[in-house]
Amino acid sequence: MSRIGLATINVPEGINVSFSNNEVTIKGNKFELSETLKEGFELKIEDNELNVIRPDDTKESKALHGLYRALIQNMITGINTGFTKELELVGVGYRASNQGQKLDLALGFSHNIVIELPEEIKVETVNEKGKNPIIKLSSHDKQLLGMVAAKIRSFRKPEPYKGKGVKFVGEQIRRKAGKSA
C-alpha cells in the first residue's frame, strides 16, 4: 500500500498556504490555486512543512489521503517553478502556429484546427526547417496543462505503422511491422 499521504511537503519561501472550511488556498507572487478537500481532512502547518491528516483508516480515506497530498504538492510546485509540456507534430505537412492564445494546427484534415487556450496556459510554437514542429505549453496548473495537452494530442494520435501524429517529446511509440510482401 502506498504511503504517499504520510510524506511531508516542504513549503518554499514566498508561498503562503491557508486552510479553512475544507478549502486549501496556495498563494505565490503571481498566482493563486485552491482545492477543496473532503470533510474531515485537515492540514497541519509547522515551520514551512505541511502534513495532510486523514480522519480515519477506511480504504477511501487512505486513497484520498495520497491524492490530496499529491495535489497540494503539485500546486506548490506549480506556483514555485511551473510545469511545461512539449508536443511534437510528426508527419508531412503537419504545422502549428499561434497568435496569442489561439493555436492553429494543420494535421492533414481538410481544414485547420483552431483552439482557444485558457489564459493560464502560455503557448509557444517552434518551426525549424528540417525538423518537426514543436508546441511548448507552460502553466502553473498541472491538471489544466495535462488536460489541454491531451486534448491537442487527441486530434491526431500517433499511429503505430509510420509514427505520424501528435506525440509528446520523448514519448516512445510502439511500432508495428507493415504488410509482408
Side-chain angles (χ1 to χ4, degrees):
M1 177 162 283
S2 175
R3 296 190 174 51
I4 292 172
L6 299 175
T8 61
I9 301 169
N10 291 325
V11 181
E13 292 293 323
I15 293 180
N16 297 327
V17 179
S18 61
F19 180 69
S20 63
N21 298 335
N22 295 332
E23 182 88 13
V24 179
T25 305
I26 299 174
K27 293 181 185 178
N29 294 338
K30 302 175 189 173
F31 306 112
E32 177 179 334
L33 291 172
S34 63
E35 182 72 34
T36 304
L37 305 183
K38 193 172 178 184
E39 192 73 35
F41 281 89
E42 296 179 17
L43 287 184
K44 191 167 109 179
I45 304 165
E46 291 179 353
D47 300 331
N48 292 340
E49 288 190 348
L50 187 130
N51 286 321
V52 180
I53 300 168
R54 64 177 179 241
D56 50 31
D57 285 341
T58 61
K59 191 170 186 177
E60 182 186 18
S61 291
K62 286 182 178 181
L64 290 175
H65 189 212
L67 171 75
Y68 289 148
R69 189 250 176 228
L71 290 175
I72 292 168
Q73 175 68 49
N74 288 339
M75 290 192 304
I76 289 172
T77 305
I79 288 178
N80 194 26
T81 58
F83 295 101
T84 60
K85 288 204 181 258
E86 294 184 351
L87 295 148
E88 182 179 6
L89 280 61
V90 180
V92 177
Y94 288 9
R95 291 185 307 277
S97 63
N98 72 305
Q99 295 182 348
Q101 291 299 101
K102 285 193 178 188
L103 181 64
D104 188 8
L105 301 169
L107 298 175
F109 297 116
S110 62
H111 60 284
N112 287 359
I113 299 170
V114 180
I115 308 166
E116 182 72 34
L117 298 175
E119 292 180 18
E120 292 90 0
I121 294 182
K122 293 186 178 97
V123 64
E124 178 187 346
T125 55
V126 178
N127 294 310
E128 292 181 17
K129 189 169 182 163
K131 293 186 178 178
N132 293 328
I134 293 178
I135 303 168
K136 294 182 181 179
L137 302 171
S138 60
S139 177
H140 62 277
D141 191 348
K142 188 174 184 178
Q143 289 177 323
L144 181 65
L145 182 68
M147 285 177 20
V148 170
K151 181 68 176 174
I152 293 170
R153 185 178 185 271
S154 73
F155 291 129
R156 183 73 84 171
K157 289 185 179 173
E159 53 95 16
Y161 296 102
K162 292 185 178 179
K164 292 170 45 173
V166 179
K167 66 177 192 125
F168 293 106
V169 171
E171 178 183 7
Q172 297 292 324
I173 300 168
R174 270 187 63 200
R175 302 296 296 270
K176 292 183 179 179
K179 291 194 283 186
S180 56

